[in-house]
């Protein structure tokens, strides 16, 4: 393929139904050449279906998929310049590691000398050169994962698709593979599209995260953006733990909550909706101030790298237009060296620019 | 490991003994120099020697071999294609269930029903063929009818064994091969057939033993010149069980055991290391 123009992957207006269930609604997204993108969402959100449409295993009902301007949809899976790392790896059990990896090159009838060179090179890149003559059944889970990655990468695809490739690995190994994956992606400068339901994994490896929910892209942004600035309640809850607070708009920058009136940095588009704040963005103070809520620490848990505090808010003053919930609480995390007692009276500062105004 | 109660072990040994004692007795008698009765008269190979000089036995053995080899070859090809075809057909859930039932049914149909049905079918075929060419003896009882008859029940067994293997291979193998640029034919030749081979060979060995051991169907549809070994043994036993029959039975059992052992070896789980 001629690489004069950048090989951006463009998904335009993709829709797909299985029977009566619509799994993808009008998905449009452009992925620039060389970007590491993660499709993140709960199971059933349509992320795997979107990946399979790009790979050529499913046909969309509407829409197009183009790569560098070329329409991919008329091409069958085996003619697309795209390779997949499968969730269960799908290694060929009757072939040795080196022949598994050589499979795609031999399909394309490369000279055998070149096949050998490329296979041994890629096995070194994924650091399993010593396993070339083994059969897949003789490998550990982590080693199989590396074979699956090598088998796809050796073909130098324009886009590498990864379908939950780490879900079968234990936590320690997963961290190791994430670092490795990021290194390889930088080295090859190839577009990677990773599907996962693990937000830590997405944050660790991606240049960009597409959060999917019920067949739609809920938010599109960098890891920092989707974590720090979730646009909806779904994203706020899916990406780590946020305090979700129902609110009513009083003025452009003021909302009323069960805890009392609060100032917000952005203007809500609603009259009645929700605001959210991350536990680590809340500051524990001992004197009153603007956006300070009085409360009593009702519980604390030591998590090693931080404290989790549960704080019962004692205010909910008369200015509130929303009826106070019985003992409303906020979750707060503090530094491990900042020790607060249970029963201690404190003020919680909710900095107005960390108080996120969520879309409905 | 948890120890099982003593009774379980005893029961297992008794069960195996009940299964194998008759066979062991036949094998022992085939080497017994005494012609009549069960008393041990010393070790001899002479019944085997007589067997190999018996024209009728050699004839039947040849017939059995021709029928078993030919019918197994045909049934293996047809059964494998059937299993593959059913896998590729875009059947709905209902269609797939019906197809499975249709394939499985002959494996549980009593032989006697199949045999009677074949007799009727050949009768119809004969009259139809006679209508066009009165001289044709194609459907007259003989090796041809035997081979066709054996193929009819063998195909199901082959298709079931190969189909199970195909299911075990799973869809991801197809997709992975596709993803790595293999054409439809390439996927089958390079990925599916090599993994299917143990299933095909296993199905063939099963079909071979079924043909070799078949009595009921063969008895109904073989002609005077196409007697197979089981049919010959049946006829001989009616005149009294002789040590030659024991020798013949021992040989058939040995052959069957070799086939069954081969299936077991082919289907042994692959060594895995974690």
């Amino acid at each position: 393929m001629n690489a004069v123009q950048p090989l951006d992957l463009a998904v335009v207006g993709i829709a797909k139904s299985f029977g009566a269930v619509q799994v993808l609604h009008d998905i449009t997204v452009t992925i620039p050449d060389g970007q590491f993108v993660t499709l993140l969402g709960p199971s059933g959100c349509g992320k795997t279906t979107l990946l399979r449409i790009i790979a050529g295993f499913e046909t969309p009902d509407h829409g197009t998929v183009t790569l560098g301007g070329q329409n991919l949809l008329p091409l069958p899976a085996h003619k697309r310049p795209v390779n997949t790392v499968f969730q269960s790896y799908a290694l060929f059990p009757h072939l040795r590691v080196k022949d598994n990896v050589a499979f795609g090159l031999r399909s394309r009838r490369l000279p055998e000398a070149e096949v050998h060179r490329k296979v041994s090179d890629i096995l070194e890149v994924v650091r399993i050169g010593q396993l070339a003559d083994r059969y897949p059944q003789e490998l550990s889970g982590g080693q199989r994962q590396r074979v699956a990655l090598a088998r796809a990468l050796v073909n130098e695809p324009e886009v590498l698709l990864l379908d939950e490739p780490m879900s079968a690995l234990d936590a320690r190994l997963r961290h190791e593979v994430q670092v490795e994956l990021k290194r390889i992606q930088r080295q090859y400068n190839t577009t990677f599209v990773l599907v996962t339901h693990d937000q830590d994994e997405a944050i660790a490896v991606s240049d960009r995260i597409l959060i999917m929910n019920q067949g739609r892209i809920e938010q599109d942004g960098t890891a920092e953006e989707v974590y720090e600035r979730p646009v909806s309640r779904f994203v706020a809850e899916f990406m780590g733990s946020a305090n979700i607070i129902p609110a009513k708009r009083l003025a452009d920058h003021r909302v009323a909550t069960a805890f009392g009136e609060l100032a917000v940095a952005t203007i809500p588009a609603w009259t009645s909706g929700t605001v959210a704040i991350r536990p680590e963005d809340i500051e524990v103070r001992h004197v009153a101030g603007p956006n300070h809520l009085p409360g009593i620490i009702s519980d604390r848990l030591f998590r090693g790298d931080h404290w989790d505090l549960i704080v019962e808010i004692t205010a909910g003053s008369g200015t509130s237009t929303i009826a106070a919930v019985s003992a409303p609480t906020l979750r707060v995390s503090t530094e491990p060296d900042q020790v607060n007692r249970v029963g201690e009276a404190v003020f919680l500062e909710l900095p107005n620019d960390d108080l996120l105004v969520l879309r409905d | 490991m948890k120890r099982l109660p003593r009774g379980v072990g005893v029961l297992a040994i008794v069960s195996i003994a009940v299964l194998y004692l008759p066979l062991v007795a036949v094998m022992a008698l085939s080497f017994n120099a005494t012609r009549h009765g069960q008393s041990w008269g010393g070790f001899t190979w002479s019944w085997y020697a007589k067997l190999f000089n018996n024209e009728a036995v050699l004839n039947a053995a040849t017939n059995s071999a021709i029928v078993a080899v030919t019918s197994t070859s045909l049934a293996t090809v047809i059964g494998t294609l059937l299993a593959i075809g059913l896998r590729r057909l875009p059947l709905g859930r209902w269609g797939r269930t019906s197809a499975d039932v249709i394939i499985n049914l002959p494996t549980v149909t009593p032989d006697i029903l199949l045999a009677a049905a074949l007799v009727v079918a050949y009768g119809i075929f004969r009259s139809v063929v006679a209508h066009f060419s009165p001289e044709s003896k194609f459907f007259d009882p003989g090796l041809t009818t035997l081979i066709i008859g054996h193929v009819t029940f063998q195909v199901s067994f082959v298709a079931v064994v190969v189909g199970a293997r195909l299911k075990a291979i799973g869809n991801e193998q197809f997709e992975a091969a596709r993803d790595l640029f293999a054409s439809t034919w390439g996927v089958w030749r390079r990925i599916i057939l090599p993994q299917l081979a143990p299933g095909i060979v296993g199905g063939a060995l099963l079909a071979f033993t079924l043909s070799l051991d078949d009595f009921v169907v063969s008895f109904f549809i073989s002609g005077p010149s196409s007697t197979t070994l089981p049919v010959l043994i049946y006829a001989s036993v009616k005149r009294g069980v002789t040590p030659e029959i024991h020798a013949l039975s021992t040989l058939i059992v040995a052959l069957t055991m070799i086939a069954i052992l081969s299936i077991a070896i082919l289907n042994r789980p692959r060594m895995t290391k974690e």
Side-chain angles (χ1 to χ4, degrees):
Chain A
M1 196 165 285
N2 198 337
V4 176
Q5 54 183 329
L7 289 165
D8 296 353
L9 180 71
V11 172
V12 182
I14 289 288
K16 175 76 181 172
S17 297
F18 291 116
V21 186
Q22 186 156 9
V23 291
L24 291 176
H25 301 264
D26 192 29
I27 300 280
T28 297
V29 59
T30 301
I31 299 167
D33 197 5
Q35 198 170 53
F36 197 138
V37 176
T38 297
L39 305 178
L40 175 64
S43 60
C45 72
K47 58 193 191 296
T48 297
T49 306
L50 182 56
L51 195 81
R52 289 172 60 82
I53 287 173
I54 298 171
F57 300 132
E58 305 282 357
T59 314
D61 302 335
H62 300 287
T64 59
V65 178
T66 60
L67 181 66
Q70 187 203 6
N71 190 358
L72 286 186
L73 292 184
L75 299 176
H78 66 285
K79 296 206 169 133
R80 296 190 186 190
V82 164
N83 291 104
T84 307
V85 177
F86 291 84
Q87 183 168 13
S88 57
Y89 314 141
L91 299 180
F92 304 132
H94 62 298
L95 297 179
R96 292 175 193 279
V97 165
K98 58 180 181 191
D99 296 316
N100 260 283
V101 175
F103 191 90
L105 300 174
R106 289 189 176 133
S107 297
R108 291 184 151 174
R109 305 191 190 289
L110 258 67
E112 202 56 22
E114 208 179 332
V115 171
H116 279 293
R117 187 179 55 75
K118 287 192 173 206
V119 168
S120 52
D121 285 356
I122 196 82
L123 289 180
E124 289 311 317
V125 170
V126 298
R127 297 175 180 160
I128 47 167
Q130 74 285 4
L131 303 175
D133 289 315
R134 298 270 192 91
Y135 283 97
Q137 301 88 308
E138 300 167 354
L139 305 178
S140 70
Q143 291 168 337
R144 285 180 204 183
Q145 213 265 348
R146 283 161 191 262
V147 177
L149 187 60
R151 188 177 69 173
L153 261 185
V154 75
N155 304 295
E156 293 163 26
E158 307 298 354
V159 177
L160 186 74
L161 306 173
L162 303 111
D163 184 6
E164 308 227 8
M166 290 169 240
S167 59
L169 304 180
D170 61 55
R172 191 183 54 78
L173 201 54
R174 211 176 301 162
H175 282 291
E176 209 177 293
V177 175
Q178 284 163 7
V179 173
E180 193 86 329
L181 205 57
K182 190 71 197 161
R183 171 181 72 80
I184 291 167
Q185 194 264 342
R186 284 214 188 90
Q187 184 177 340
Y188 279 75
N189 200 28
T190 297
T191 308
F192 275 34
V193 181
L194 171 74
V195 158
T196 185
H197 60 263
D198 178 343
Q199 74 275 13
D200 293 332
E201 186 173 305
I203 290 170
V205 298
S206 328
D207 298 324
R208 177 179 172 196
I209 298 176
L210 302 174
I211 298 191
M212 292 186 65
N213 183 30
Q214 298 183 337
R216 290 190 173 84
I217 294 175
E218 191 98 5
Q219 190 169 359
D220 174 354
T222 64
E224 296 94 311
E225 281 165 4
V226 293
Y227 187 82
E228 298 293 347
R229 302 263 148 221
V231 296
S232 66
R233 180 172 183 161
F234 174 81
V235 177
E237 284 180 326
F238 195 77
M239 300 296 294
S241 52
N243 291 292
I244 306 285
I245 308 163
K248 277 188 175 155
R249 192 175 70 178
L250 297 176
D252 274 0
H253 289 283
R254 288 200 76 75
V255 292
T257 72
F259 308 126
E261 278 186 36
L262 292 168
V264 290
T266 43
I267 304 170
W270 34 257
T271 50
S272 178
T274 44
V275 294
I277 188 161
R278 298 263 174 220
E280 64 270 27
D281 290 335
I282 299 178
E283 302 291 342
V284 179
R285 310 284 186 207
H286 289 94
V287 285
N291 267 20
H292 282 46
L293 301 173
I296 290 169
I297 297 173
S298 64
D299 212 345
R300 59 170 201 179
L301 293 165
F302 186 58
R303 300 288 195 179
D305 58 346
H306 70 272
W307 284 97
D308 270 343
L309 305 180
I310 308 293
V311 180
E312 257 175 52
I313 304 301
T314 48
S317 56
T319 51
S320 172
T321 54
I322 292 178
V325 200
S326 61
T329 61
L330 287 177
R331 278 179 311 112
V332 181
S333 43
T334 58
E335 296 296 317
D337 54 359
Q338 180 185 341
V339 182
N340 296 94
R341 290 174 295 103
V342 171
E344 191 179 340
V346 292
F347 288 94
L348 297 184
E349 182 188 357
L350 279 50
N352 63 354
D353 53 345
D354 287 323
L355 198 54
L356 307 164
V357 174
L358 302 180
R359 207 177 63 201
D360 293 332
Chain B
M1 224 170 78
K2 230 174 89 177
R3 280 190 65 89
L4 288 166
R6 191 172 298 253
V8 175
V10 175
L11 204 63
I13 291 167
V14 170
S15 311
I16 291 171
V18 168
L19 280 172
Y20 281 92
L21 266 180
L23 283 179
V24 173
V26 165
M27 286 179 189
L29 288 174
S30 75
F31 297 107
N32 186 1
T34 314
R35 181 152 190 70
H36 301 288
Q38 268 74 49
S39 60
W40 185 251
F43 183 87
T44 180
W45 284 106
S46 70
W47 309 123
Y48 288 88
K50 276 195 178 138
L51 201 61
F52 286 105
N53 290 317
N54 185 330
E55 189 88 11
V57 168
L58 291 181
N59 250 330
T62 314
N63 286 339
S64 272
I66 292 172
V67 171
V69 169
T70 318
S71 64
T72 300
S73 312
L74 289 171
T76 304
V77 174
I78 299 171
T80 302
L81 290 176
L82 184 62
I84 291 173
L86 281 173
R87 164 73 173 61
R88 302 202 59 191
L89 266 184
L91 298 168
R93 187 190 295 182
W94 195 86
R96 198 158 293 285
T97 311
S98 337
D100 280 347
V101 170
I102 290 169
I103 287 194
N104 274 292
L105 204 55
T107 65
V108 292
T109 306
D111 284 352
I112 191 83
L113 290 185
L114 178 65
L118 280 169
V119 170
V120 175
Y122 287 149
I124 296 169
F125 292 156
R126 260 196 301 280
S127 57
V128 171
V129 171
H131 200 72
F132 297 101
S133 82
E135 300 303 305
S136 172
K137 293 193 176 343
F138 191 80
F139 285 109
D140 284 0
L143 289 181
T144 314
T145 51
L146 267 177
I147 289 167
I148 296 172
H150 283 200
V151 168
T152 53
F153 63 78
Q154 284 172 315
V155 163
S156 276
F157 286 92
V158 175
V160 167
V161 173
V162 174
R165 184 88 192 179
L166 200 52
K167 210 176 228 171
I169 291 174
N171 218 21
E172 268 205 334
Q173 292 281 315
F174 285 84
E175 289 187 347
R178 281 252 142 201
D179 191 66
L180 296 164
F181 318 120
S183 61
T184 304
W185 168 237
V187 174
W188 282 96
R189 185 179 58 81
R190 297 165 68 198
I191 296 303
I192 307 303
L193 286 179
Q195 293 184 57
L196 207 53
I200 296 172
V201 176
L205 285 169
L206 182 62
F208 185 81
T209 60
L210 287 171
S211 168
L212 198 64
D213 297 347
D214 174 71
F215 168 70
V216 178
V217 173
S218 306
F219 181 72
F220 273 66
I221 60 178
S222 61
S225 64
S226 60
T227 305
T228 60
L229 282 176
V231 176
L232 177 86
I233 293 174
Y234 173 75
S236 313
V237 167
K238 280 205 292 196
R239 292 195 300 269
V241 185
T242 63
E244 282 112 309
I245 297 298
H246 292 319
L248 184 55
S249 307
T250 304
L251 286 179
I252 293 177
V253 168
L255 202 58
T256 310
M257 275 187 163
I258 290 171
I260 297 291
L261 275 178
S262 312
I263 296 175
I265 290 170
L266 275 171
N267 288 336
R268 77 190 184 284
R270 284 197 187 228
M271 181 190 66
T272 56
K273 195 159 51 179
E274 282 299 327

